[in-house]
Amino acid sequence: MILEPPDEGSPAGSNTTHPLSLRIAAKLVVFTLVCGFLYVAKPILLPIALAAFLTFVFAPVVRGIQTLRAPRILAVLIALGGVAAGVGAVSWFGFKQLSALAEELPAYRVNILEKLSDIRSLGRDGPIKRVSEAVESISEEAEEMAASEEEQEGEGAPRKEEVEKPVEVVLMPRGDPLGLSRMTALRPVAGYAGTAGLVLLLTFFFLYYREDLRNRLLSFAGEARLLVTTRALNDAGSRISRYLLAQAVVNGTYGVAAGLGFWAMGVPYALLWGVGAFLLRYIPYVGPWAAAVPPVVCALVMYDGWTKPLSVIGLILVLELLSNNLMEPWLYGRSAGLSEVAIIISAVVWAFLWGPIGLVLATPLSVCIVVLGRFVPGLSFIARLMGSDPGMDPAAQLYHRLASLDTLEAKDIVRRNVEERGLRETIDELALPALALAARDLQSGIIPAEEADEVAEAAESVMEKAGLHASPRGAAMGGEEADSQLPLVIGLPAGGRFESSALEFFAAGRDDCRWRLVESGILVTEFVEIVRRAAPAGVCVVALSERSLLRARRWCKRLHSEIDSLRIVIGYWGAEVGRDLPRDMIQAPEGCELATTASETWRILQPWLALEPATPEEAA
């Protein structure tokens, strides 16, 4: 049974820890209860959520009207009244256009019959007919075989007398003098109208008492969490506002382009289809398909042949491709702070809980949940699961793939980083931290010793494919073949195979000096003698785990005691001072320097080599 460490500040002997499995089960139970509550309380929560969403939409409009020195109540009434008038105008326009279309449809009866005839001929003479004939022949043979088997089994068995079925009697209601059936049919419409009125009323009060509601919500957090809660509310508001603005631009651009395209092609009611595309695209995933059906059907009904309908379909496909691959990535980006998978899953969940309105509110509600996870420590797993930030650090991703011996995906990770940042930065910020993670897992026993060589070989193969060469110019491993005019640096891995690979990567990425790398198993006396004879400009000792860091400190103390003028730097790469680096080891031994990153190690080595630091242009 795995126990989580006790919380900070809790007594060492307190029973505040629980099994990890129990905590996960408790979270699942709470999640189930919350989903059940949201589903059951839909009639109450849905108007409130929709009103809060509309408050986010209209709050900037109300603030803009108030800047003209208009009273708050007048600004709210103007905003809501303008929206209500716009919705009414669009509804009236759509109703008139649809009514005109319905009146014109009977005149195109011939076109409809011709299209149906073409479809029937396709099934009568084309591949559909052949498939259907094959299926019918197979089914007939199967029926004949079943009938023959029944006849064989029924021979000699007494026949049962057929029983007449009773006559079904259906009681028909009398007339409906009070019109109750019509009232029942209008009940859903009345329900939707009542919900819309309630949402409009709630939106009015939310806008009018916006600051008061905000202050009351902040008061629940208490004075100690006031700043954090304020930042959470501001973060949620800014994310939702950016998302809504981007969505309005994308949908508006699509609607205008569709309307103009249909008008240029001569499709009737082009303005209606453009407005419909703008409005329906606010419904994720389902809306674009629903917006594409009416103009296609209209072209099929009103035009002879198939040229015009296929042109309309082609225009819709082109607009969809441009919108999905150009407009949405450019404008949306990560404005909502949600991953693509999280957006899809949230749409499914909220559509199941709250229906079509839940589908519209899926992204804003999920944004609020992710922001809550960012600022509430107990809900941080939500931000990791649904947020747009990568779930793992790139170095951790690379190490995970190397540990799985998945060199194909590991090469893709390295290749992307090399293209974006360059080879040297990839070595310093990706490959070396990944090897540091591997070295620490090896020290902890998570990686068996016999698998360490396989992981290191996979890392070397991946970096070689990325363009890293084991012996670049001026970085010979032995030092004899290199240019003797360049200063010499001796490298010592203080651990095992991972430290050796890390030192090779670091040396191959810097060709402004000669490198001589010694084996990790060398004796101290032999290493001191090598340093005496070579007289290097400096010594670089690499450690990737706490155990190898202890060994590096002992070696550096011995070297400093033997050769007082020797310059030594310890590279403890991939560590964070104060968290991964032990407190008593933050200070380097006497006569040595300590660096926690590869770039910092190189900055320490450069003055020793009498080289000018690289300019930003040269580093790029």
Side-chain angles (χ1 to χ4, degrees):
M1 183 178 294
I2 302 175
L3 299 180
E4 291 188 350
D7 298 334
E8 295 183 3
S10 61
S14 61
N15 296 325
T16 58
T17 59
H18 300 285
L20 180 61
S21 58
L22 181 60
R23 299 185 61 148
I24 294 176
K27 291 179 181 179
L28 291 176
V29 170
V30 171
F31 175 76
T32 304
L33 293 176
V34 170
C35 290
F37 173 74
L38 291 174
Y39 184 79
V40 173
K42 171 185 172 182
I44 300 174
L45 297 179
L46 185 57
I48 297 176
L50 191 56
F53 172 73
L54 295 176
T55 302
F56 275 108
V57 175
F58 297 133
V61 179
V62 173
R63 285 196 297 267
I65 297 175
Q66 282 188 285
T67 56
L68 302 176
R69 297 184 179 180
R72 168 66 64 86
I73 188 170
L74 181 60
V76 174
L77 289 175
I78 291 175
L80 295 182
V83 171
V87 171
V90 171
S91 301
W92 178 83
F93 170 76
F95 177 76
K96 296 292 289 184
Q97 293 285 300
L98 291 176
S99 299
L101 177 61
E103 293 177 357
E104 293 182 9
L105 283 180
Y108 299 98
R109 181 174 178 272
V110 176
N111 289 342
I112 297 174
L113 294 177
E114 288 180 356
K115 297 296 190 305
L116 292 176
S117 177
D118 293 340
I119 296 174
R120 288 173 183 171
S121 63
L122 180 65
R124 185 169 54 249
D125 302 326
I128 299 177
K129 178 184 177 182
R130 293 193 291 269
V131 174
S132 62
E133 289 177 351
V135 173
E136 288 177 0
S137 63
I138 294 172
S139 62
E140 289 176 359
E141 293 178 2
E143 290 176 357
E144 291 176 358
M145 293 176 62
S148 61
E149 292 178 357
E150 290 179 357
E151 290 178 359
Q152 294 176 1
E153 294 177 356
E155 291 179 357
R159 295 184 178 180
K160 296 182 180 179
E161 296 182 357
E162 296 182 357
V163 181
E164 295 184 359
K165 296 182 179 180
V167 179
E168 185 178 359
V169 179
V170 180
L171 298 178
M172 300 298 294
R174 294 184 177 180
D176 186 14
L178 298 179
L180 297 178
S181 60
R182 290 190 296 271
M183 294 177 62
T184 303
L186 293 176
R187 185 180 301 171
V189 178
Y192 291 138
T195 302
L198 178 60
V199 169
L200 190 63
L201 183 64
L202 288 174
T203 305
F204 172 80
F205 284 106
F206 285 175
L207 288 171
Y208 186 73
Y209 296 104
R210 185 169 53 88
E211 286 79 6
D212 181 67
L213 292 174
R214 181 198 60 196
N215 296 335
R216 291 178 185 274
L217 186 60
L218 290 174
S219 66
F220 283 103
E223 296 182 358
R225 304 280 298 177
L226 184 61
L227 180 59
V228 175
T229 308
T230 302
R231 290 178 177 175
L233 291 177
N234 293 337
D235 190 11
S238 61
R239 287 174 184 268
I240 294 176
S241 298
R242 290 197 304 268
Y243 171 75
L244 293 176
L245 178 61
Q247 192 177 31
V249 173
V250 171
N251 295 349
T253 305
Y254 184 94
V256 171
L260 292 176
F262 295 148
W263 173 77
M265 295 170 62
V267 178
Y269 307 102
L271 182 59
L272 176 64
W273 310 138
V275 174
F278 167 71
L279 296 177
L280 289 175
R281 283 183 64 86
Y282 277 96
I283 303 176
Y285 309 109
V286 180
W289 296 99
V293 171
V296 173
V297 173
C298 180
L300 284 170
V301 170
M302 295 185 173
Y303 289 97
D304 298 332
W306 292 89
T307 303
K308 188 70 69 173
L310 292 178
S311 301
V312 172
I313 293 174
L315 175 63
I316 293 174
L317 291 178
V318 170
L319 292 178
E320 284 291 339
L321 290 174
L322 292 176
S323 177
N324 296 334
N325 298 289
L326 182 62
M327 292 293 295
E328 291 183 5
W330 176 45
L331 290 176
Y332 284 157
R334 297 181 181 268
S335 61
L338 297 175
S339 66
E340 290 77 5
V341 177
I343 292 175
I344 296 174
I345 295 177
S346 64
V348 173
V349 172
W350 287 108
F352 170 76
L353 293 175
W354 287 356
I357 302 299
L359 191 61
V360 176
L361 299 178
T363 299
L365 290 173
S366 300
V367 167
C368 296
I369 294 174
V370 169
V371 170
L372 191 65
R374 286 168 55 88
F375 289 93
V376 178
L379 301 177
S380 59
F381 69 95
I382 297 178
R384 290 198 298 270
L385 288 175
M386 301 178 61
S388 59
D389 297 332
M392 295 176 63
D393 183 80
Q397 295 180 28
L398 178 61
Y399 167 54
H400 181 265
R401 292 295 87 207
L402 293 175
S404 303
L405 301 181
D406 184 2
T407 57
L408 183 62
E409 187 173 346
K411 290 175 185 176
D412 291 338
I413 296 173
V414 173
R415 177 182 53 80
R416 289 195 300 268
N417 278 269
V418 170
E419 292 175 354
E420 294 176 359
R421 314 189 66 180
L423 181 59
R424 178 174 292 187
E425 287 73 13
T426 301
I427 294 173
D428 293 352
E429 302 176 12
L430 184 69
L432 298 182
L435 290 176
L437 293 174
R440 293 175 196 181
D441 283 352
L442 177 63
Q443 175 183 313
S444 303
I446 299 176
I447 296 181
E450 56 271 14
E451 295 183 6
D453 289 341
E454 296 181 358
V455 176
E457 289 175 1
E460 293 169 1
S461 173
V462 168
M463 295 305 298
E464 184 178 357
K465 293 293 184 181
L468 181 72
H469 302 288
S471 300
R473 181 187 65 81
M477 297 300 107
E480 288 79 12
E481 298 82 359
D483 187 358
S484 59
Q485 300 300 321
L486 295 175
L488 174 66
V489 177
I490 296 180
L492 171 66
R497 179 62 184 275
F498 294 124
E499 280 80 3
S500 299
S501 299
L503 189 53
E504 290 181 8
F505 293 169
F506 180 74
R510 277 107 182 146
D511 56 359
D512 296 328
C513 60
R514 291 181 297 142
W515 284 89
R516 181 172 182 180
L517 310 183
V518 300
E519 297 293 336
S520 59
I522 192 173
L523 298 177
V524 178
T525 54
E526 296 178 0
F527 184 66
V528 171
E529 187 61 26
I530 291 175
V531 173
R532 287 184 187 277
R533 291 200 304 266
V539 173
C540 179
V541 184
V542 174
L544 299 180
S545 64
E546 186 175 344
R547 184 181 303 168
S548 60
L549 179 59
L550 291 172
R551 187 183 180 195
R553 290 172 62 87
R554 291 196 300 268
W555 278 66
C556 292
K557 289 180 180 178
R558 177 69 180 273
L559 284 172
H560 180 67
S561 63
E562 296 287 342
I563 308 175
D564 186 26
S565 60
L566 184 64
R567 300 182 181 91
I568 308 170
V569 59
I570 300 175
Y572 186 52
W573 298 330
E576 291 187 12
V577 177
R579 191 189 72 174
D580 298 326
L581 192 62
R583 292 290 182 181
D584 57 343
M585 297 184 182
I586 294 178
Q587 299 298 327
E590 183 181 356
C592 302
E593 299 282 349
L594 179 65
T596 56
T597 62
S599 56
E600 183 183 357
T601 305
W602 181 243
R603 285 197 298 269
I604 295 174
L605 282 172
Q606 274 188 319
W608 301 350
L609 306 177
L611 298 176
E612 292 295 331
T615 62
E617 293 78 12
E618 295 174 347

